Amino acid sequence: MMRSLWSAASGMLAQQTNLDNIANNLSNVNTAGYKKDTVEFKSLLYQTLQSPSTNNAGENKPVPAQVGLGTRVASITTVFTQGNLQDVDSNTYLAIEGNGFFKVRNQDGEICYTRDGSFNVQPVEGGVMLCASDGSPVLDQNNNTIVIPNGYKTDGLIVDQEGNLFVEGGDGKQVPLTQTVDGQPYNQKIGLVQFNNPAGLSSIGGNMYQATVASGDPLEESTTQGIAASKIHQGYIEMSNVQVADEMVNMIVAQRAYEMNSKAIQASDEMLQQANNLRG
């Protein structure tokens, strides 16, 4: 009976983590670019009460007798399915259709990755810079910042589905947005990368992810052969992929599982009380 106490307690702890995760998903149902997390469980060690052997008649026993010792959370996996695209009246808002991620440089100078394309512009020397909502600069295919020079209309920024950047001058003409590296000019594109295992990315908050050994190195879409290129939709934003109905069902299941584990603890306690109250 002591086994049942600890096994049921492990089930309650696991379902508490499950409910915490569901609550986080529901709280981010309207967060742009948010990807839901799912909790996966695994069983703990098994205690062998009797191994396969022979009975008194010398006959082989087909199966052993083992009792499991409960459960624990094996992993919390991020599901990177496509979210719905919502029309937004802003030419700096971008949405990704496909498996790509935007590249953003955080305040520590590290490159992070996000699906949240709610970008804005802020003044910098020589023009205005495309940046994330927290002011972190958005990067192009060569990890350079994207700056609209003075003399061009900010509201004239154009991004095609391949991520090519164009600006509109005072004369109404559209010209490619360029950058110079080592004296060589090139046309800028929105930097999009993919990962062999996006579920291995490490979430650092603020809709940002960092690459890990599990995710693999980022694969630049503009230079990597053999990957399906993503499409960019200007004036749209990708919403969360959380399905409220599914999360509510998961919450009810987690609540019932938590309740059943607590009932198992109560039953074990009552059985121990009865055993202690036995009289010879």
Side-chain angles (χ1 to χ4, degrees):
M1 285 182 287
M2 291 303 295
R3 267 194 227 99
S4 62
L5 285 172
W6 290 109
S7 296
S10 71
M12 293 181 71
L13 290 173
Q15 292 304 324
Q16 180 62 61
T17 302
N18 189 20
L19 189 60
D20 292 341
N21 182 73
I22 294 171
N24 182 63
N25 286 339
L26 289 172
S27 66
N28 285 283
V29 67
N30 289 323
T31 301
Y34 176 80
K35 300 302 177 184
K36 68 178 181 181
D37 296 321
T38 59
V39 178
E40 299 174 1
F41 305 96
K42 70 186 306 182
S43 60
L44 295 178
L45 294 175
Y46 277 76
Q47 185 172 0
T48 301
L49 304 181
Q50 181 176 312
S51 60
S53 59
T54 58
N55 57 20
N56 294 333
E59 299 172 340
N60 291 327
K61 295 180 180 179
V63 293
Q66 293 179 301
V67 177
L69 300 179
T71 185
R72 70 177 179 88
V73 174
S75 64
I76 299 178
T77 305
T78 304
V79 180
F80 286 95
T81 55
Q82 181 77 45
N84 294 327
L85 303 187
Q86 180 176 314
D87 187 12
V88 181
D89 188 19
S90 174
N91 69 324
T92 59
Y93 275 46
L94 306 175
I96 298 175
E97 178 186 352
N99 299 320
F101 290 82
F102 296 111
K103 296 188 294 184
V104 176
R105 181 175 288 116
N106 64 14
Q107 296 179 354
D108 297 328
E110 300 173 335
I111 297 179
C112 303
Y113 309 93
T114 183
R115 294 278 299 193
D116 182 4
S118 54
F119 299 145
N120 297 287
V121 292
Q122 67 176 0
V124 294
E125 183 179 357
V128 292
M129 179 181 66
L130 188 67
C131 62
S133 56
D134 63 350
S136 301
V138 180
L139 304 179
D140 67 6
Q141 74 271 35
N142 292 322
N143 296 336
N144 293 315
T145 58
I146 299 170
V147 177
I148 302 174
N150 292 326
Y152 292 94
K153 297 180 179 178
T154 303
D155 57 1
L157 177 67
I158 297 174
V159 184
D160 65 15
Q161 290 192 346
E162 287 73 36
N164 297 300
L165 293 161
F166 302 88
V167 288
E168 181 179 335
D171 54 2
K173 294 183 179 180
Q174 298 176 4
V175 296
L177 197 59
T178 61
Q179 178 67 272
T180 301
V181 175
D182 296 330
Q184 298 295 323
Y186 69 92
N187 295 337
Q188 287 188 294
K189 296 178 61 174
I190 295 290
L192 292 180
V193 299
Q194 295 186 22
F195 294 90
N196 288 327
N197 178 32
L201 291 170
S202 175
S203 179
I204 58 175
N207 283 350
M208 297 291 181
Y209 300 92
Q210 282 185 330
T212 65
V213 175
S215 68
D217 295 329
L219 306 174
E220 184 70 43
E221 287 194 357
S222 61
T223 58
T224 304
Q225 301 294 326
I227 61 175
S230 306
K231 293 182 179 179
I232 293 181
H233 297 276
Q234 187 177 19
Y236 287 83
I237 191 71
E238 182 186 9
M239 300 306 297
S240 165
N241 66 350
V242 174
Q243 297 294 326
V244 175
D246 292 343
E247 296 302 321
M248 293 299 292
V249 171
N250 292 337
M251 182 168 61
I252 293 172
V253 172
Q255 182 181 7
R256 291 294 178 264
Y258 190 90
E259 181 181 351
M260 290 302 100
N261 278 285
S262 68
K263 292 292 185 183
I265 291 179
Q266 293 176 7
S268 297
D269 180 56
E270 291 174 0
M271 294 173 71
L272 286 172
Q273 287 182 355
Q274 292 176 2
N276 290 332
N277 292 332
L278 290 175
R279 294 292 187 268

